[in-house]
């Protein structure tokens, strides 16, 4: 009867259902990469853990409240763990299904191995509450119930790379206590043992008994025992948080224990140190006073000292002020990368404005959009870039106003320093506004890494920001 039933299934419709479920997942979900030295066949090792009976009762309560099964709760929890291991917000893993269609009469009496392993997709929307995520996950799984007869290899061929995974979950909720099974008067079982092996990097088995018994089989050539134990503990930790508050958002679930959090936050991220609160412009002025003759900026065989940059940028800044540039006025800079670009950036800051870098290599239409969108009051150009933009275009060489008056403009941390445009996910550039405080923080953080002194850092980051 089973073969007759199977022959009557619409395989094309089943494969289309799997393609619709997994086709938008762009890449495999792999917690381990099969690099050099990994053998094709390895005997797995196992670690065990247990979520106690009290936790199981709480998980059952959460499942009833959401109108889902305990299996679905475990699937979501494992999806969160896999998401943390892979750094993905959309994960796929395998799940073992019974493969016994309920509508086929006599199915429960048929002998044979009907189980199948099929993909489970979990979307980890950080803003979604756990209760809603559980309902979405079960609804998607229920929609695929009529298509669980299709083999995994066929699903993967139809759905593409997104149907590839290297972890699996088996939720084994069948009766397993041999002590209560009728074995006859003269037959007794003295010992039982189950040996299983898969070709997955990680295979998770869950059995609800006096609690949730957890068996995690792993390939020792890919993971150490401590890694496997952490995976099991993180699964329990997720279940504990879900049980404690099913209204928690997915992104608020914490997978790290106290020791792991201490290692990440305090040991690996030991970056606390005093930083200079002065802006890049203030630091530049400080170095003009301390080392006026030192080289401040160099491009090719051309170089300028701090004093020379200071004088030239003052002259340009006075020209900008004369053209109405003031606090946070946008000034477009359509200049080649080089000495002029750095001096012009400092001039904009001295005038109180914020610069908008305009790469001369960009298409004319893109540059026109950036000028209009940023509200640039003035656009500074060189002779070679003058034909790239329209509007209030001013040649850099014609901007100078040499009155000899010293500019004393200051900037605060929250004041706009520059607006830089990204490519934009939709193809339309999007402006990102960066404040002086952020530029100063970046200069402070990167100066020691680059191995350059504070004065040079100021001008380097004036240039890097473009």
């Amino acid at each position: 009867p089973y073969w007759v039933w199977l022959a009557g299934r619409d395989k094309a419709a089943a494969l289309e259902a799997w393609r619709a479920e997994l086709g938008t997942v762009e890449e495999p979900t792999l917690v381990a990469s099969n690099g050099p030295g990994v053998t094709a066949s390895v005997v797995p090792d196992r670690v065990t853990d247990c979520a106690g009976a009290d936790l199981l009762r709480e998980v059952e309560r959460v499942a009833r409240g959401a109108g889902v099964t305990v299996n679905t709760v475990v699937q979501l929890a494992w999806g969160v763990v896999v998401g943390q291991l892979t750094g993905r917000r959309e994960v796929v893993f395998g799940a073992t299904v019974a493969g016994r269609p309920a509508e086929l009469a006599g199915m429960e009496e048929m002998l044979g191995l009907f189980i199948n392993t099929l993909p489970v997709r979990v979307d980890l929307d950080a803003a979604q509450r756990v209760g809603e995520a559980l309902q979405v996950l079960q609804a998607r799984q229920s929609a695929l119930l009529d298509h669980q007869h299709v083999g995994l290899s066929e699903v993967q061929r139809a759905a593409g790379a997104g149907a590839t995974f290297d972890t699996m979950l088996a939720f084994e909720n069948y009766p397993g206590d041999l002590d209560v099974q009728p074995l006859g008067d003269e037959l007794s079982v003295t010992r039982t043992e189950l040996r299983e092996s898969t070709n997955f990097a990680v295979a998770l088995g869950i059995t609800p008994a006096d609690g949730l018994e957890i068996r995690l089989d792993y390939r020792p050539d890919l993971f150490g025992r401590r890694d496997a134990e952490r995976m099991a503990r993180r699964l329990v930790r997720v279940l504990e948080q879900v049980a404690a508050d099913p209204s928690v958002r997915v992104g608020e679930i914490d997978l790290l224990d106290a020791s792991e959090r201490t290692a990440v936050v305090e040991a690996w991220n030991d970056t606390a140190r005093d930083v200079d609160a002065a802006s890049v412009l203030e630091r530049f002025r400080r170095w003009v006073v301390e080392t006026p003759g030192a080289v401040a900026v160099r491009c090719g065989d051309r170089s300028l000292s701090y004093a020379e940059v200071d004088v030239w940028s003052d002259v340009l800044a006075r020209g900008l002020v004369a053209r109405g540039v003031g606090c946070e006025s946008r000034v477009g800079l359509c200049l080649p990368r080089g000495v002029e670009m750095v001096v012009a950036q400092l001039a904009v800051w001295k005038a109180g404005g914020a610069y908008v870098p305009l790469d001369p290599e960009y298409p004319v239409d893109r540059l026109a959009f950036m000028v209009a969108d940023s509200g640039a009051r003035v656009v500074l150009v060189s002779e070679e870039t003058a034909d790239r933009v329209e509007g209030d275009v001013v040649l850099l060489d014609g901007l100078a106003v040499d009155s000899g008056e010293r500019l004393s403009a200051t900037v605060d941390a929250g004041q706009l320093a520059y607006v830089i445009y990204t490519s934009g996910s939709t193809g339309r550039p999007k402006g990102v506004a960066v404040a002086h405080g952020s530029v100063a923080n970046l200069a402070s953080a990167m100066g020691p890494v680059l191995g350059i002194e504070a004065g040079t850092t100021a001008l380097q980051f004036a240039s890097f920001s473009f």
Side-chain angles (χ1 to χ4, degrees), residues 250-412:
V250 172
E252 295 172 342
I253 296 175
D254 190 357
L255 280 79
L256 303 181
D257 62 22
S259 62
E260 291 170 337
R261 177 163 293 281
T262 298
V264 173
V265 176
E266 298 180 14
W268 299 351
N269 195 39
D270 185 16
T271 57
R273 61 187 178 89
D274 294 332
V275 297
D276 191 343
S279 69
V280 171
L281 180 57
E282 290 170 326
R283 297 181 208 186
F284 167 75
R285 285 171 170 160
R286 185 189 306 161
W287 275 70
V288 170
V289 173
E290 294 178 1
T291 57
V295 173
V297 59
R298 178 183 290 113
C299 181
D301 57 1
R302 186 182 179 193
S303 64
L304 294 176
S305 68
Y306 278 94
E308 290 170 327
V309 171
D310 188 42
V311 171
W312 190 8
S313 59
D314 265 358
V315 169
L316 296 179
R318 285 191 288 270
L320 290 171
V321 171
R323 285 169 171 78
V325 173
C327 182
E328 295 194 340
S329 298
R330 277 67 156 176
V331 178
L333 301 182
C334 189
L335 299 167
R337 294 173 187 257
V339 171
E340 287 82 2
M341 183 67 181
V342 176
V343 174
Q345 291 171 347
L346 284 170
V348 173
W349 285 350
K350 286 184 175 183
Y355 65 84
V356 182
L358 304 168
D359 192 335
E361 299 298 321
Y362 283 170
V364 173
D365 290 346
R366 182 183 179 93
L367 292 173
F369 172 83
M370 293 163 65
V371 171
D373 185 67
S374 66
R377 189 182 189 93
V378 178
V379 179
L380 301 185
V381 297
S382 65
E383 290 187 359
E384 60 187 289
T385 65
D387 62 345
R388 303 298 297 161
V389 290
E390 299 178 353
D392 189 358
V393 176
V394 178
L395 279 171
L396 190 67
D397 292 342
L399 179 66
V401 174
D402 193 2
S403 66
E405 181 183 354
R406 179 78 176 175
L407 288 173
S408 59
T410 59
V411 297
D412 60 47

Side-chain angles (χ1 to χ4, degrees), residues 156-274:
Q156 291 175 327
R157 282 194 297 269
T164 301
F165 50 86
D166 64 356
T167 69
M168 69 161 290
L169 166 64
F171 189 82
E172 301 169 343
N173 59 346
Y174 51 81
D177 188 352
L178 293 173
D179 292 334
V180 299
Q181 302 301 312
L183 301 175
D185 295 336
E186 299 180 359
L187 181 63
S188 64
V189 176
T190 58
R191 181 173 178 268
T192 63
E193 184 177 351
L194 177 65
R195 293 289 184 106
E196 298 173 296
S197 181
T198 73
N199 60 347
F200 295 102
V202 176
L204 177 67
I206 302 291
T207 303
D210 294 331
L212 285 174
E213 296 180 359
I214 299 171
R215 304 178 310 281
L216 193 144
D217 294 339
Y218 64 97
R219 289 181 52 146
D221 57 331
L222 299 176
F223 300 100
R225 185 172 186 83
R226 289 184 62 187
D227 297 325
E229 289 172 342
R230 287 193 188 101
M231 293 181 211
R233 286 200 304 269
R234 286 174 184 171
L235 176 66
V236 175
R237 199 169 299 122
V238 174
L239 290 171
E240 288 172 342
Q241 293 173 72
V242 168
D245 182 9
S247 67
V248 68
R249 298 185 189 276
V250 172
E252 295 172 342
I253 296 175
D254 190 357
L255 280 79
L256 303 181
D257 62 22
S259 62
E260 291 170 337
R261 177 163 293 281
T262 298
V264 173
V265 176
E266 298 180 14
W268 299 351
N269 195 39
D270 185 16
T271 57
R273 61 187 178 89
D274 294 332

Side-chain angles (χ1 to χ4, degrees), residues 31-158:
V31 301
S33 57
N34 292 340
V38 176
T39 59
S41 178
V42 175
V43 176
D45 281 347
R46 171 177 290 183
V47 296
T48 60
D49 206 327
C50 183
D54 290 342
L55 180 55
L56 175 56
R57 283 192 290 271
E58 290 302 305
V59 169
E60 291 172 338
R61 179 186 58 78
V62 169
R64 288 193 301 271
V68 302
T69 64
V70 173
N71 181 28
T72 298
V73 179
V74 174
Q75 285 184 341
L76 178 64
W78 181 239
V80 172
V81 175
V82 173
Q84 189 264 352
L85 291 172
T86 60
R88 300 269 300 279
R89 294 180 59 184
E90 188 178 55
V91 300
V92 176
F93 55 84
T96 302
V97 297
R100 293 175 177 266
E103 70 270 20
L104 182 56
M107 187 74 242
E108 70 280 1
E109 298 177 354
M110 295 183 189
L111 298 178
L113 193 64
F114 294 89
I115 63 171
N116 193 8
T117 299
L118 292 168
V120 174
R121 171 181 171 177
V122 180
D123 292 338
L124 302 171
D125 183 349
Q128 194 172 46
R129 299 193 183 278
V130 164
E132 181 183 354
L134 289 170
Q135 292 169 345
V136 170
L137 177 58
Q138 179 145 319
R140 297 175 68 166
Q141 290 292 294
S142 297
L144 294 166
L145 284 176
D146 290 338
H147 311 299
Q148 292 183 345
H149 59 280
V150 183
L152 177 59
S153 60
E154 294 177 295
V155 171
Q156 291 175 327
R157 282 194 297 269

